[in-house]
């Protein structure tokens, strides 16, 4: 069965302290990897789509990378407004989007 | 472009009742997917519709059903509500479906008493 595991479950950083979130998967026939950001009480907000190992994408302080077994979301010099839950999702051969449980990021000023 | 809209935003029902949730996709998007989000299980796929046809379905009981109209708007119905159905129900749309990026609506918060 397709599975996605995100770590850590929660991460607390000081403003400016860079770190990485991990997303590992056991999905057959990977067709896409997606990162979303979700604020409390809101729907997930799209960040990145990656389709093949070795692909990287950047947006402001965020950079997403993909290997054959996992994806990383690197956060450089985070600010308090980056506090949110970050979700990754994989789409495999079943064409169902399988989500991880998320990493709750808190950035303290 | 306007984003995905969902109505109602909040809903309170009692056990045994049924509920219908509505989703309007981004203009031009023909694929609509529904998800259930709970603190314990996270985001779980319910079903996906494309051109009024259900193309994929998750592992939920038959009490959960949906449909899509010719204008791509979609509805989700839950019959005989149970306490465990309390969740945030999210709708997402994409142009043609997997593996394209899906864009989510704000969700409908359902509370079953």
């Amino acid at each position: 069965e397709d599975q996605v595991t995100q770590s850590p479950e929660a991460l607390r950083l000081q403003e400016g302290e860079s770190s990485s979130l991990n997303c590992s998967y056991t999905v057959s026939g990977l067709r896409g990897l997606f990162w979303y950001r979700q604020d409390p009480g809101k729907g997930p907000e799209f960040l990145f789509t990656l389709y093949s190992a070795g692909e990287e994408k950047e947006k402001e302080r965020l950079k997403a990378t993909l290997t054959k077994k996992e994806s990383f979301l690197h956060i450089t010099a985070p600010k308090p407004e980056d506090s949110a839950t970050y979700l990754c999702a994989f789409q495999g051969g079943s064409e169902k989007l399988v989500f991880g449980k998320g990493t709750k990021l808190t950035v303290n000023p | 472009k306007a984003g995905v809209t969902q109505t109602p935003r909040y809903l309170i029902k009692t056990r045994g009742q049924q509920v219908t949730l509505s989703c309007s996709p981004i203009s031009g998007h023909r694929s609509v997917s529904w998800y259930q989000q709970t603190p314990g299980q996270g985001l779980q796929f319910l079903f996906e519709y494309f051109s009024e046809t259900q193309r994929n379905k998750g592992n939920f009981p038959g009490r959960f059903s949906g449909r899509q109209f010719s204008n791509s708007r979609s509805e989700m119905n839950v019959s005989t509500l149970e306490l465990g159905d309390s969740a945030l129900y999210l709708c997402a749309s994409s142009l043609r479906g997997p593996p394209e990026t899906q864009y989510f609506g704000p969700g409908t918060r359902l509370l079953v008493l």
Side-chain angles (χ1 to χ4, degrees):
Chain A
E1 185 178 322
D2 296 343
Q3 280 194 326
V4 177
T5 303
Q6 289 189 246
S7 61
E9 290 184 13
L11 181 64
R12 192 176 291 270
L13 300 173
Q14 287 299 122
E15 185 172 2
E17 180 185 1
S18 302
S19 189
S20 296
L21 312 183
N22 176 262
C23 177
S24 63
Y25 61 94
T26 54
V27 174
S28 58
L30 175 68
R31 298 186 67 197
L33 178 285
F34 307 87
W35 281 97
Y36 291 87
R37 167 198 171 124
Q38 187 173 27
D39 293 301
K42 297 189 176 181
E45 174 189 344
F46 170 70
L47 293 173
F48 303 108
T49 301
L50 302 169
Y51 288 111
S52 58
E55 192 174 356
E56 299 182 352
K57 287 192 177 173
E58 282 188 77
K59 178 183 176 182
E60 296 180 356
R61 295 177 293 282
L62 301 176
K63 179 180 176 180
T65 62
L66 179 63
T67 71
K68 288 186 178 180
K69 294 184 178 181
E70 58 192 347
S71 177
F72 292 93
L73 183 66
H74 306 279
I75 304 176
T76 302
K79 298 181 178 181
E81 54 261 42
D82 294 324
S83 297
T85 295
Y86 290 85
L87 299 165
C88 77
F90 281 83
Q91 194 139 57
S94 70
E95 297 195 338
K96 299 176 185 178
L97 202 57
V98 180
F99 278 85
K101 295 277 179 76
T103 293
K104 183 176 181 181
L105 174 67
T106 303
V107 182
N108 295 315
Chain B
K1 266 187 182 178
V4 177
T5 58
Q6 292 187 245
T7 57
R9 293 294 312 279
Y10 304 93
L11 209 48
I12 300 176
K13 293 286 187 179
T14 57
R15 279 183 300 173
Q17 287 187 310
Q18 75 165 17
V19 66
T20 299
L21 312 181
S22 180
C23 171
S24 291
I26 292 171
S27 178
H29 285 194
R30 295 169 64 190
S31 170
V32 174
S33 296
W34 288 90
Y35 296 84
Q36 180 194 67
Q37 187 175 32
T38 59
Q41 298 298 319
L43 265 154
Q44 293 187 289
F45 172 76
L46 280 157
F47 29 65
E48 186 230 349
Y49 285 88
F50 180 83
S51 292
E52 302 179 66
T53 301
Q54 186 181 93
R55 288 202 300 194
N56 216 335
K57 190 176 187 304
N59 299 323
F60 279 81
R63 301 185 297 106
F64 292 82
S65 63
R67 59 177 176 169
Q68 186 181 34
F69 302 95
S70 58
N71 62 357
S72 294
R73 190 178 69 86
S74 178
E75 287 183 348
M76 190 193 95
N77 184 273
V78 187
S79 62
T80 319
L81 284 166
E82 301 177 359
L83 296 179
D85 296 333
S86 294
L88 181 66
Y89 289 89
L90 292 159
C91 162
S93 76
S94 64
L95 273 171
R96 290 174 293 270
E100 293 180 350
T101 299
Q102 296 182 28
Y103 297 90
F104 284 82
T108 294
R109 173 75 64 184
L110 172 65
L111 177 62
V112 182
L113 301 176

